[in-house]
Amino acid sequence: MAQPITTALDQEQQRIAGDALCGTVVDLIDLSLIAKQAHWNVIGPRFRTVHLALDELVAAAREFTDSAAERATSIGVSPDGRAATVAEASGAEGFPADWQRDDAVVEAITSNLAAVITRLRQRIDATEKADPVTQDLLIGITARLEQLHWMWQAQLS
């Protein structure tokens, strides 16, 4: 198929930004699924607090997924959020099946956030010269996820 969406970026800039955005889409889809799995399966004395905090994380991850996918599209890169792609390419750590105690959920979410943030920071570096607009989007996403990471970490103390 012919390229239906064009961009002012040159081919290499488009490739770098597109790779960063598509990787972000995959990681964020997985993060939202992990948080939803945890949301449905958390048990323990802090159930309600953790349950509600997971809703907040899911909403943020889904919003950021859409922002990253739409940015990719705007520079002529087709985002791929299919389940097989997410399963193959995500940098998140995952989440176990079955019921999980609230303290285990907090630990798992904290480590998954850290993994996604690490990859986002690499993408921020990669897009600095290639596409500052994409870099700016990734910085905003990272800032909010780092704030959420702090809030999840605080529950471990």
Side-chain angles (χ1 to χ4, degrees):
M1 170 185 264
Q3 186 69 18
I5 309 298
T6 60
T7 179
L9 300 176
D10 69 33
Q11 243 182 350
E12 182 63 7
Q13 291 170 320
Q14 182 189 38
R15 183 194 64 74
I16 291 167
D19 287 351
L21 290 162
C22 289
T24 298
V25 166
V26 165
D27 285 352
L28 291 172
I29 289 171
D30 200 19
L31 182 62
S32 71
L33 293 172
I34 287 165
K36 207 42 139 162
Q37 178 69 18
H39 172 87
W40 296 322
N41 287 286
V42 63
I43 57 173
R46 294 186 300 156
F47 162 80
R48 182 141 176 86
T49 301
V50 173
H51 187 76
L52 294 174
L54 288 162
D55 274 339
E56 179 182 17
L57 176 57
V58 168
R62 287 179 177 168
E63 176 185 337
F64 294 146
T65 299
D66 196 49
S67 295
E70 288 182 357
R71 176 68 188 152
T73 302
S74 73
I75 62 166
V77 174
S78 175
D80 186 355
R82 296 173 300 157
T85 303
V86 172
E88 178 183 313
S90 175
E93 295 182 356
F95 192 82
D98 211 355
W99 307 113
Q100 300 296 316
R101 299 280 310 165
D102 50 13
D103 56 338
V105 169
V106 171
E107 287 180 25
I109 295 300
T110 300
S111 67
N112 274 286
L113 277 164
V116 170
I117 289 165
T118 296
R119 286 170 52 109
L120 277 163
R121 286 191 158 275
Q122 293 166 351
R123 294 175 185 130
I124 288 168
D125 290 343
T127 56
E128 180 179 8
K129 289 189 172 99
D131 184 20
V133 177
T134 293
Q135 184 192 43
D136 184 58
L137 175 66
L138 297 176
I139 288 169
I141 292 169
T142 303
R144 178 64 175 131
L145 291 182
E146 286 180 343
Q147 181 186 39
L148 290 169
H149 184 245
W150 149 60
M151 292 177 181
W152 282 93
Q153 277 184 311
Q155 296 181 65
L156 294 173
S157 297

